[in-house]
Amino acid sequence: MELKKIEKAFEMILDGIGEDKNREGLVDTPKRVAQSYEEFFSGVNKDPIEPLLKYFSVENNDLVMERNIDFYSMCEHHFLPFFGTIDIAYIPNGKIVGFGDIIKSIEILTKRPQIQERLGSELADVIYRTLNCQGVMVAIRAKHLCMTMRGVKKENSQIITTAYRGVFEDDAARRIEILTLLK
């Protein structure tokens, strides 16, 4: 990541909105913004499959669920944050991964310019393909600051998206069972 380019770009933004980049409170702001962006976008050019390559064999293929995983991401349309929780359920096919490893994959996918719909789809694909599991479901609930700070300005709106792969795609009863367990 080229922090100096980000600093220069933010100096131009300050100038563009009519602010003085040399004003006391803004002197180091471009540098702080660049450092923040380094963290916000640390998932760019990282592979979300990597954390899932260390797996454990299991004899039973019982449902595995991880709920209420907090996340923050940056909307690629307005570069404003969206944040919320992610729920994941999957049916193994002889192997599982650590819960922390799933969170590491989420961190990689959320730490890049993103949209919620693609985030869920990418996460479902990564888990489904890497674990070769029977099925996976991802549900995301998020608030988008691009909807609360600007535009429609609806403070309490929440976006919910789901992504299904494998056995969950064609089995409505299984999807309902998982959604019921997630409540």
Side-chain angles (χ1 to χ4, degrees):
M1 191 166 299
E2 298 183 50
L3 299 182
K4 288 293 180 193
K5 280 186 177 181
I6 297 169
E7 283 183 47
K8 290 289 181 200
F10 201 76
E11 286 175 4
M12 290 176 64
I13 290 170
L14 289 173
D15 185 51
I17 65 171
E19 267 291 354
D20 176 7
K21 70 178 183 181
N22 296 312
R23 184 167 61 80
E24 183 180 3
L26 295 175
V27 170
D28 290 326
T29 297
K31 185 176 186 174
R32 286 190 297 268
V33 169
Q35 290 168 341
S36 295
Y37 273 31
E38 184 175 36
E39 182 178 341
F40 295 162
F41 301 113
S42 62
V44 172
N45 298 321
K46 287 188 179 176
D47 189 350
I49 291 172
E50 185 79 26
L52 302 178
L53 294 177
K54 181 181 171 189
Y55 61 85
F56 307 96
S57 297
V58 292
E59 290 181 26
N60 298 316
N61 292 315
D62 298 325
L63 177 69
V64 177
M65 295 180 74
E66 192 167 357
R67 294 184 51 199
N68 296 322
I69 304 164
D70 294 324
F71 79 93
Y72 298 86
S73 194
M74 193 72 80
C75 171
E76 67 185 36
H77 296 145
H78 300 99
F79 266 63
L80 289 170
F82 69 98
F83 56 93
T85 59
I86 298 175
D87 299 325
I88 297 170
Y90 71 95
I91 299 174
N93 195 14
K95 58 185 177 181
I96 58 171
V97 292
F99 297 122
D101 295 328
I102 290 174
I103 291 173
K104 289 173 188 171
S105 289
I106 291 170
E107 286 294 302
I108 290 169
L109 290 170
T110 58
K111 300 293 187 202
R112 50 177 71 168
Q114 191 60 276
I115 60 171
Q116 182 174 333
E117 298 87 343
R118 186 175 61 236
L119 172 60
S121 184
E122 288 176 339
L123 183 56
D125 287 341
V126 164
I127 293 170
Y128 186 63
R129 291 182 184 144
T130 307
L131 295 182
N132 191 31
C133 60
Q134 295 178 49
V136 63
M137 186 183 108
V138 175
I140 303 176
R141 291 168 201 80
K143 286 187 165 237
H144 292 247
L145 291 187
C146 58
M147 290 183 59
T148 61
M149 293 177 65
R150 56 156 305 282
V152 294
K153 296 185 178 106
K154 297 302 176 200
E155 186 72 28
N156 294 311
S157 65
Q158 185 179 51
I159 308 300
I160 301 171
T161 56
T162 57
Y164 307 101
R165 301 293 181 270
V167 296
F168 295 120
E169 290 178 275
D170 299 321
D171 192 338
R174 275 198 162 152
R175 286 197 308 266
I176 291 169
E177 173 191 7
I178 300 305
L179 290 169
T180 301
L181 287 170
L182 291 174
K183 284 188 177 183

